[in-house]
Amino acid sequence: MAKCGQNINIQRNLIRNGDIRIGLYLKYPKTEDSTRTLALSDNVIELLKKHQEEQNELITEQRSLYQNEGFIFCNDDGSNIDSSVEQNKK
């Protein structure tokens, strides 16, 4: 078993609204029990740090074009990933 490095708190969910004009939005969980903490292994922490470095490079390169909304996983322009749209795999 991998050694536990740190925890990550899940405090909000990205929700799809039925109204196409509104699209996706962040929402707090319906119940207090839905807010959860996940333990991450040291390996996952290292991968997330590498991902963050790559993301910071994109932010620097794109400057004002990058939509920095604080998502860990997002499109190359910083916008949230829409699960209803097929993504091109690299």
Side-chain angles (χ1 to χ4, degrees):
M1 182 179 285
K3 180 182 163 197
C4 180
Q6 295 181 13
N7 295 327
I8 186 168
N9 295 317
I10 309 299
Q11 299 174 335
R12 292 181 289 166
N13 302 313
L14 190 60
I15 304 295
R16 169 172 305 288
N17 186 305
D19 186 344
I20 192 73
R21 294 170 295 168
I22 297 173
L24 301 171
Y25 64 98
L26 287 172
K27 183 178 179 181
Y28 290 97
K30 292 179 184 176
T31 67
E32 195 172 308
D33 290 339
S34 295
T35 300
R36 55 205 174 275
T37 300
L38 304 175
L40 302 177
S41 70
D42 289 337
N43 294 338
V44 171
I45 296 294
E46 288 305 312
L47 289 170
L48 286 171
K49 286 179 181 179
K50 182 179 179 196
H51 177 71
Q52 184 178 36
E53 289 172 9
E54 293 169 357
Q55 199 171 39
N56 286 338
E57 288 175 16
L58 278 173
I59 292 169
T60 300
E61 290 170 7
Q62 296 185 18
R63 298 179 192 245
S64 63
L65 298 176
Y66 193 88
Q67 304 171 40
N68 193 352
E69 298 183 33
F71 291 110
I72 295 172
F73 300 105
C74 56
N75 293 311
D76 286 347
D77 67 353
S79 62
N80 55 43
I81 296 172
D82 186 339
S83 63
S84 71
V85 177
E86 186 174 327
Q87 303 293 315
N88 293 329
K89 296 184 179 181
K90 294 182 181 181

